[in-house]
Amino acid sequence: MTRARAGSLRCAVLTAAAVFSTTFVHAAITPLAEPELFAGAPRAWRDALQPDPSNSLAWQLAAEFLEQAEDSDAIEVRRQLVFNEPAVIAHRFALINTALHFGDLPAAQRTLLDLAALEPPSHEHAMAEAAVAFASNYSDVADERLTKELGRAADPTLLSSHQAMLRLRFGNRAEVPAARQELQQLLAARPGDRELQRELIADALRRGDADTALRLSAVAAQPAEAPFADVLLWANTQLLYRRQSFPAVCESLSVRAAARPADALLFTSWLIARGRADAADAWLDRLPDAERQAPELQQAHADCIAARGDWDRALPLIATGAWGPIDNGTVHRVLHEREIGPRRMDHAAWDQAIRAAAGNPDASRVLYRLAVAWGREPQRQAILLAQARRQPPGAWAFQALADHFRQNRNTARLQEVYSEWHQAAPDDLTVEGNLLLLTLLGSRRPTPEMRGHIDELSLQHPDHALLRTVRALALWQQGRADEARAITDNVRSIDRRQSPLAFYHGLFVAAAGGRVHEAEKYLLLSEPAVLLPEEEKLVRVARGLVARIAASE
């Protein structure tokens, strides 16, 4: 959270929480006796978040509960988070982990591939690479990546604990018990290690081991200084196994939430995600006026009103900074005077606000959230483009535009995005690789100048799987299938098998003749991926070649 946190509210707000626990919880939440929004009512979380689909904190809490409940809808919710807040790279890492949790390897691979253009190598990136490698049955590659990242750590158990976590999540049946025992022993030696606690709780939830999940989540939530996220994990576990009623859980949460404004925001967002924006708003109304002035509680109040679809009440709050500081007069005016709104489509007002906010990330973030909330896709794209063109260029904004056009299989617009992105970041190899690939897909044969440039890039960066694939495609387009196959044959197996790239190797193998089963395997690896129309045409060409080879044998 970017806004400054207000001072401690403990004494005054705990008094309000006591009133809440005796009057509000039982009166306002009792009609929803159990949390059926996530159990027994498929996809009801959508209904809860539909009035304001821009509330990323509520979506995040919904994703966490769905994952804890072993509901694969969590992947869709994580994608919405990336859509809602494309600048937050953590959402992409979370999407990778959730996709792997539910066995959607292609989604994890695509997200990891795109991350290469968004940030320099980081610890989180290394952990994601190791997780994808292990889930892809390349445990040696995962161990190599972990050793490189953690081998020199001051804590000698850090490497072994992360290796055990990967074995626990993705290992074969014979490996899992030993990995679990190793993590249990580490937790016994370090009882306050929250990462280990969360890992073992997640393992217990996956296995349906209610006793272990309930015991460990209670331990994690017990200390007064426990992060509220761990308190919510305890609450979710209580509800999943129906050990406490929804009102009883809310009563406990309300007391903890009242101690800190940031926790109050989490609590109200948790209620919104469960379709109880009315309950969250009523709880906030019972807090003393002075306490509700904290920035987090101002946001919580605006979120609750928006979640109930009451934009006439929400917009004045947003205009005065509830969703973030807006120190630009034009943006403030169009919001305060409600020149833009869910039922209005004043293009001139939107354009004016977007231009005025172009140099103001905070104001742009508020406009972006409103565009998402109201389904204003042209305006959302315009805001992203304005942010992409800032100095330094906004790689996250370019990637968000690329995500949209790839998902909609619009090759021409996708190429336009990568062309402008390459002009803004000429040294980014992943961006240039994507642009070259799209250019080849749109042409029958590369020019001599392009061939020379592709050859030079590929030779300079022999470990870059995308650039190697681009060079192989250029050779195949020249009728040199044997050379194309030889290039992708020499790409690391783990990189060659990535869903977005796998079918290219299948095409080159089929075009070179023979190895039919290998070609079929690589074509199948790309089936779950979102392919562009030109890529689907290449898949059809490859399948035709495979059929002819099989018929002639």
Side-chain angles (χ1 to χ4, degrees), residues 82-83 85-87 92 114 118 368 376-389 394-421 438 532:
V82 172
F83 181 87
E85 293 186 324
R92 294 182 184 270
D114 291 339
L118 290 182
Y368 183 89
R376 302 286 193 252
E377 183 55 30
Q379 284 72 33
R380 187 186 78 90
Q381 292 180 29
I383 295 165
L384 287 173
L385 197 55
Q387 291 304 298
R389 289 170 174 168
W396 61 268
F398 278 122
Q399 186 61 63
L401 289 166
D403 290 343
H404 174 78
F405 292 123
R406 180 175 292 281
Q407 193 65 34
N408 287 276
R409 303 169 68 249
N410 189 330
T411 310
R413 294 298 304 277
L414 184 61
Q415 187 169 352
E416 289 174 10
V417 170
Y418 274 110
S419 179
E420 185 165 345
W421 194 354
L438 290 165
L532 299 170

Side-chain angles (χ1 to χ4, degrees), residues 31-199:
L32 185 61
E34 293 293 344
E36 297 298 338
L37 283 172
F38 292 85
R43 306 180 71 78
W45 51 268
R46 261 192 185 285
D47 296 333
L49 298 170
Q50 191 56 44
D52 176 22
S54 71
N55 188 336
S56 294
L57 192 50
W59 282 95
Q60 180 176 327
L61 295 170
E64 290 170 1
F65 187 87
L66 287 165
E67 189 165 339
Q68 292 155 12
E70 291 296 307
D71 188 332
S72 61
D73 277 354
I75 300 174
E76 183 179 341
V77 176
R78 293 289 187 195
R79 286 198 178 102
Q80 180 70 30
L81 276 166
V82 172
F83 181 87
N84 282 6
E85 293 186 324
V88 181
I89 302 300
H91 291 329
R92 294 182 184 270
F93 288 122
L95 173 57
I96 290 172
N97 289 329
T98 300
L100 292 177
H101 178 87
F102 291 104
D104 190 346
L105 186 59
Q109 291 171 328
R110 173 83 258 174
T111 307
L112 185 61
L113 199 63
D114 291 339
L115 273 169
L118 290 182
E119 63 156 22
S122 65
H123 173 75
E124 292 77 12
H125 204 143
M127 295 300 100
E129 286 179 340
V132 170
F134 205 98
S136 306
N137 295 320
Y138 288 92
S139 57
D140 56 336
V141 176
D143 286 341
E144 177 187 337
R145 193 69 187 90
L146 287 175
T147 301
K148 183 178 179 181
E149 180 67 19
L150 303 173
R152 293 187 295 274
D155 182 354
T157 66
L158 200 57
L159 175 60
S160 61
S161 67
H162 278 80
Q163 289 171 327
M165 288 178 190
L166 291 182
R167 291 198 307 276
L168 183 64
R169 295 178 200 169
F170 312 117
N172 60 49
R173 191 170 297 178
E175 292 179 302
V176 168
R180 183 180 300 119
Q181 183 178 14
E182 183 176 350
L183 292 178
Q184 289 169 342
Q185 290 170 346
L186 285 170
L187 182 59
R190 303 199 301 262
D193 191 315
R194 296 197 172 278
E195 187 175 18
L196 290 174
Q197 286 175 334
R198 291 166 188 157
E199 192 68 36

